[in-house]
Amino acid sequence: MKKALRITLKTLGVILVILIIGGLLGWWYVSSQFLSFEDDYTEKTEIPELTIDGYTFLDRNDNGALDVYEDDRASIEDRVVDLLSQMTVEEKIHILKGSGMASGMGMVDPEEGIPGVVGTIVATPRLGIPAINLSDGPAGLRIEPTREGVDRTFYATAFPIATLLASTWNTELVYSVGDAMGNEALEYGIDVILGPGANIHRHPFCGRNFEYYSEDPLLTGKIGAAMVNGIESNGIGTSVKHFVANNQETNRNYNDTRVSDRAMREIYLKGFEIIVEDAQPWTIMSSYNKVNGTYTAESRDLLTDILRDDWGFEGLVMSDWFGGNDAVAMINAGNDLLEPGTKKQWKALTKGYEDGTLDMDAVDTSVKRILTLALKSKKMTDYTYGENPDLEAHAEITRKSASEGIVLLKNDDTLPLQKGKNVALIGVYSYDFIAGGTGSGDVNEAYTVSLEEGLANTGFSVNQKAKEVYQKHKNANPEAFIKPEGMSAMFNPYLPPEMSYDDAMMQDIANDSDLAIITIGRNSGEGGDRVVEDDFLLSEAEKKMLSAACEAFHAVNKKVIVVLNIGGVIETASWKNQPDAIVLAWQGGQEGGNAVADILNGNVNPSGKLTMTFPMHIDDHASNANFPQNGMPMQMMDMLFGKDEVPEDEMVENVDYTNYEEGIYVGYRHFDKADLDVSYPFGYGLSYTDFEYGDMELVYENDSLKVTLPVTNIGDVTGKEVVQFYVSKDSTQIDRPEQELKGFAKTSELSTGATDTLEVNIPVKSLQYWNEKSSQWTLEPGSYVIKAGASSRNIKRSVQIKI
Ligand code: BGC
């Protein structure tokens, strides 16, 4: 017996040793291939100076002479040509891929780089080209807030999620957010922000919709361009992502988007095209997915023919992290930079050079683009970053933008509230407000203002009976209230379980307070798509909580307000008749609670409008027929090591490939065409005041329709109005949407009785459709109707024109 025990223990011991050695070898292998695999951070290297004719230059080459590329009086173009001529093939191949993931995993020595940087353009020390730092992401700069041995923090501002920013329909405001975000990058030594995201909300369940703006490409393009221009006004680059047709997270690295040329041009590419035209971003990020069988990162058609030749994009294209499959094909196609860079790619490029498959002209073109970015960067100037951005000023911008993107969905004589009211906060998310989504779109912010704090900050009192219920619930479930940190926070949304209230308890709270606010919270992010149960639909606990609160509060003539602290569309049709008001707060960043309170107490009059449709049922969306339901989570190992191609006959629909059968009929384009009722239409949003639209006038000038429209505030309080301009084609010969958004504008803050005359430019070329027969944009002659609407289903003025 003893012997048997000894043998068993011995066997267990051997297994343990094997496991430990195996684990160590595995970790060594992963880190040598995917994490930092060379030490090339040289940004802090001392560069000697040269003085010529009393003018000081940096002698980056340290050869005691002034090379053209060192002469900052020469054009960047000439300097790049000079640099390229001095580089060896090895140096060129080296710069085509980043230095691995180390810093992104928080592993970098602060002396050598900036913790939290998720990728780099590698340095070329011999020529004094420094490493360029790339950091996420759309809702704020993602860097590590703490550093070993450093007695201070490095917080970045969590701005509102992209969907909220788009809901402001205010390009100037979005520019100011971009400007603040870019300033944080500048002050923390980051050269390129990996954002904004410009993918289309094809279906409400895409886990990353919060990082994207809208179901409409024009709005996506205009808001995206404002963000790019704001960030880049600091001399910091952007990487507009994920190019293109990357609309689901299920099997995200390998899914094949099967889509028509027309839908590509009119819907999925259009937003990117507008951003290139209006903002010429420094970089664009290719996506993980394939389009019609080819990885976007390997598609010459997308990256060179369309992006460069058709649109005139001048910047560089980088891959998404570990995206693409064949490094040589990527460079040959025009994907200039491979991120974060792996040893495997380095070897593949070297082999491609040796066997002649790597196109050396393409290499030179890509290297030039990379060098151009490096020369443009702050690293090549004598700018010293201070690591002290004005976080307080940025918090103000956050609060202002967050309140302007909040959409008032329902208001039965309830809002604004009088200050001083005692508010019963119902539901965990009233106390645990969600600032933003997860994944690379997450930000390491210093704090998040909850709704509870926001109300207290703006002159309300928070009902203690309701708070006690929350406290008890939290104490009973301590584990569920631990916020995931670091890498774990990236892929695990913080979603503590909802509370349950019995009727007596709710009545007690109702008797003890002036009104109830119920917060419904949702969160999602990179690596997973959303689902129907307990996500799109309210959970059983939420339904009960809502009914109980409405019953108890209405019984004593008190109001119930629902606040939606969500990152994507949820079902509203079945319950929206119950509460007295519904405030769509989205995820407003670190100042979220203050921003909602500003709306509730009337400090800010709501002026946000929906950038997507809220459907009656999820299957009303045409795309629902082809969207993964309950899709599998991200496979990390597949992402790192690649996955064997799945034979066509074994492919799983909506996992290995997704047919975009709905074509151009995404969002309101479909709901209008199919004449479906919706819960809230695209463009919808209420205000505390009313607006009157005057006569719309149209003038044809320089291939554009110049539209003017006076808007007057005819209500009692100051406010702003978003006006949307839709265009319909009368008696069309082709299959086209009933109407499409072709312009929008927002009034200034109008006091009672004040008028603002809005001016919008609709280029005639924007009325074209993509003609698949001739593969070109085509203008259908005849009569069009230009409409001005307060939403897509509330058209107030229209004018007919002939083209
Ligand atoms: C995401 C990108 C992000 C990159 C770097 C990828 O997983 O798809 O959006 O910029 O990681 O964090």
Side-chain angles (χ1 to χ4, degrees), residues 437-439 442 444 483-494:
T438 59
D442 188 19
N444 295 313
K483 281 204 169 142
E485 299 273 338
M487 279 302 272
S488 164
M490 276 193 68
F491 298 110
N492 294 305
Y494 172 66

Side-chain angles (χ1 to χ4, degrees), residues 195-212:
N199 296 100
I200 294 293
H201 293 182
R202 169 178 177 253
H203 187 279
F205 289 1
C206 172
R208 297 189 82 169
N209 275 355
F210 76 96
E211 295 186 61
Y212 308 139

Side-chain angles (χ1 to χ4, degrees), residues 118 136 142 208 241-242 252 285 288 320-321 440 526:
V118 75
D136 285 302
R142 198 161 62 82
R208 297 189 82 169
K241 63 195 190 184
H242 306 90
R252 66 173 187 161
M285 189 189 291
Y288 286 130
D320 197 350
W321 267 232
S440 53
E526 196 172 345

Side-chain angles (χ1 to χ4, degrees), residues 259-276:
V259 54
S260 71
D261 282 354
R262 181 165 177 209
M264 277 298 276
R265 294 283 185 160
E266 293 184 19
I267 306 290
Y268 298 102
L269 287 165
K270 196 68 190 174
F272 287 95
E273 183 180 358
I274 293 170
I275 295 175
V276 169

